Amino acid sequence: GTSLKPLVAILDPYHPDATAKLEANNEIDSLVVSKSNRQEIYDRAQAIMVRSDTAISPVELSKFSQLKYVVKQGVGVDNIDLEAAKQAGIEVYNTPGLNAEAVAELALSLALCLARRITEIDRSIREGKAVVRSQTLGRSLFGKTLGVIGMGNIGIVLAKKWIGAMEGTVVGYDPHYQGDSWSEILGAHRFRQVDQLNNLLQVADVVSLHVPLTDSTKGLIARDEFTQMKQDAILLNCARGGIVDEEALLEALESNKLVGAGLDAMEIEPPTREAYGSLLKHPNVIITPHIGASTREIQSLSGVFVADLVVDLVMG
Ligand code: NAD
């Protein structure tokens, strides 16, 4: 039969704590999308919960007749056509800041794994090869310089961790930032802001990307930028595929410019061996499938945050 309760639809995988919270709420109906309920969702959903799997295109939006809210668990809203949503009077929400610690932890993990060649050495042992320690020297990160491109929520948390754990310095590039003073947060003796990307690339031992994917950040790190980088730098992309030009990255690896590259965001996702065979030939590349926020703690916390927000929105 028909229900007068507002319907919330869950289009991408959410933590069980989030779906349980919605199911326990008697004032709303909730549905996890399946093959059989798609039409009901298009007809009735007032709010949809997404992550980054579902592309919310103008065509997709036009299929909904009651939709008022799109809520995304996560920060990057590049999978949602914001202009089309605006035109249709649909409000879009995300969860800024909630996953910053987890993404920063992943970026730091990748830097340490690359510097100490952990995945490479582990792989050798698994393959039954002898690892000659004197021929397998890593790099120390203590006291080194981290370059953070995009000093928002994640960039700031990573900078703090770097200063705390590595006792290093941080150079930040973010011409659009309007928040609190970085030098006050991080300590002026540890942090330096630059207005030109090149000034960061030329001094950073580790370059880490934390910008959204937009027209202005697409291909931000391309051939010229690799040329500017220090010899033996580490590149980290835990932001979005497309920000790094993958062909230029391959060239940088082939010319031994980099100690390594840690990539949680790729042009093709999920990343496969077929798609990334040439990058994966380099033992100093680590590819992870967009797991920046994939911790039990953060999936539960931000899933429940979205569930609560959605209920508030549809209940007015
Ligand atoms: P944020 O909005 O807090 O920070 C982004 C910063 O980038 C802002 O300060 C902004 O001014 C700056 N910026 C924008 N364009 C720039 C440019 N051209 N040059 C330099 N700086 C620029 O976002 P956040 O929470 O720090 O997240 C950053 C990005 O990380 C997200 O947009 C998302 O795409 C990505 N992300 C990835 C994962 C993952 O699982 N790997 C998880 C969360 C976020």
Side-chain angles (χ1 to χ4, degrees):
T2 45
S3 162
L4 295 173
K5 292 179 193 172
L7 176 67
V8 170
I10 302 153
L11 302 191
D12 287 333
Y14 268 74
H15 192 278
D17 290 352
T19 43
K21 191 120 202 227
L22 293 173
E23 273 161 27
N25 188 317
N26 293 323
E27 296 181 307
I28 60 152
D29 287 337
S30 62
L31 278 179
V32 175
V33 70
S34 69
K35 278 199 187 91
S36 58
N37 65 18
R38 229 167 231 291
Q39 196 54 50
E40 182 183 1
I41 287 172
Y42 286 141
D43 294 341
R44 280 190 57 213
Q46 291 189 11
I48 55 176
M49 290 165 46
V50 300
R51 294 182 55 198
S52 42
D53 311 63
T54 302
I56 305 297
S57 63
V59 173
E60 186 63 16
L61 280 175
S62 71
K63 294 177 184 165
F64 289 88
S65 40
Q66 309 285 328
L67 193 62
K68 292 185 193 148
Y69 309 105
V70 176
V71 185
K72 159 148 190 170
Q73 179 191 319
V75 192
V77 286
D78 46 281
N79 61 318
I80 302 168
D81 193 308
L82 298 177
E83 193 50 42
K86 199 174 163 191
Q87 296 285 324
I90 295 165
E91 293 173 21
V92 177
Y93 293 82
N94 64 350
T95 61
L98 286 189
N99 55 20
E101 294 285 346
V103 181
E105 282 178 9
L106 181 71
L108 198 55
S109 315
L110 291 171
L112 286 163
C113 277
L114 292 164
R116 300 305 298 271
R117 303 171 66 171
I118 292 172
T119 49
E120 175 192 346
I121 291 169
D122 173 79
R123 207 155 37 234
S124 294
I125 293 171
R126 278 164 207 270
E127 288 166 4
K129 292 179 194 155
V131 176
V132 181
R133 283 185 300 164
S134 60
Q135 289 167 19
T136 321
L137 294 182
R139 298 290 169 127
S140 292
L141 293 181
F142 174 78
K144 293 275 167 77
T145 300
L146 169 71
V148 179
I149 303 176
M151 282 286 293
N153 284 305
I154 298 170
I156 290 172
V157 170
L158 178 62
K160 280 186 194 159
K161 292 188 190 305
W162 188 265
I163 291 166
M166 301 309 157
E167 299 184 38
T169 53
V170 175
V171 176
Y173 169 74
D174 188 335
H176 310 293
Y177 180 79
Q178 304 211 313
D180 299 333
S181 152
W182 290 307
S183 298
E184 264 168 43
I185 302 170
L186 300 168
H189 61 298
R190 288 291 194 200
F191 179 79
R192 187 159 65 83
Q193 185 186 350
V194 291
D195 298 327
Q196 299 293 325
L197 182 55
N198 282 349
N199 295 338
L200 178 154
L201 299 173
Q202 286 157 5
V203 298
D205 300 295
V206 176
V207 174
S208 198
L209 291 164
H210 300 288
V211 292
L213 177 64
T214 62
D215 290 340
S216 71
T217 62
K218 196 166 191 302
L220 186 67
I221 303 299
R223 196 167 288 146
D224 288 348
E225 286 68 34
F226 283 111
T227 309
Q228 292 292 323
M229 277 186 202
K230 271 176 96 166
Q231 175 65 33
D232 296 328
I234 288 175
L235 176 73
L236 306 175
N237 183 6
C238 292
R240 279 292 182 272
I243 298 170
V244 175
D245 180 326
E246 291 179 353
E247 254 175 60
L249 170 62
L250 190 59
E251 284 171 20
L253 289 160
E254 306 219 302
S255 64
N256 292 318
K257 175 92 189 196
L258 302 177
V259 156
L263 310 167
D264 187 48
M266 306 297 294
E267 273 173 38
I268 302 166
E269 289 187 5
T272 58
R273 192 168 62 174
E274 287 64 38
Y276 288 111
S278 28
L279 275 180
L280 291 166
K281 269 191 207 127
H282 295 272
N284 54 344
V285 167
I286 302 176
I287 299 182
T288 51
H290 206 134
I291 58 163
S294 297
T295 69
R296 290 188 196 181
E297 292 84 352
I298 293 307
Q299 288 306 306
S300 172
L301 183 103
S302 49
V304 168
F305 179 91
V306 168
D308 289 342
L309 173 61
V310 153
V311 170
D312 283 351
L313 289 170
V314 297
M315 296 310 293

